[in-house]
Amino acid sequence: MDDDTRSYVVVLNDEEQYSIWPADRDLPLGWRSGDVSGSQAECLAHINEAWTDMRPLSLRRAAR
């Protein structure tokens, strides 16, 4: 059973790769807020819907 009650924020790096980060901590260098926050499950559900192409941004641009 998941008893993690912390709040998280969805974060993205310059390559538009997603992760989650504890909301009460400063963001790590190279990451920005994706403006979605909530429980771990809510953040991961958002990432699952939003991150449809796992390739880094630079690779997606080169493939055009």
Side-chain angles (χ1 to χ4, degrees):
M1 183 169 129
D2 186 8
D3 59 353
D4 186 354
T5 60
R6 293 179 289 182
S7 182
Y8 292 88
V9 62
V10 173
V11 295
L12 294 96
N13 65 17
D14 290 340
E15 288 285 351
E16 293 186 355
Q17 296 168 311
Y18 288 76
S19 189
I20 63 172
W21 192 255
D24 61 347
R25 295 183 60 194
D26 291 338
L27 294 180
L29 292 177
W31 294 83
R32 66 185 185 280
S33 174
D35 295 325
V36 174
S37 62
S39 69
Q40 182 180 32
E42 290 167 331
C43 289
L44 291 174
H46 172 75
I47 290 172
N48 191 48
E49 289 180 22
W51 196 9
T52 59
D53 189 339
M54 301 294 279
R55 297 177 298 166
L57 179 61
S58 58
L59 182 60
R60 292 193 317 261
R61 287 181 175 160
R64 290 183 189 167

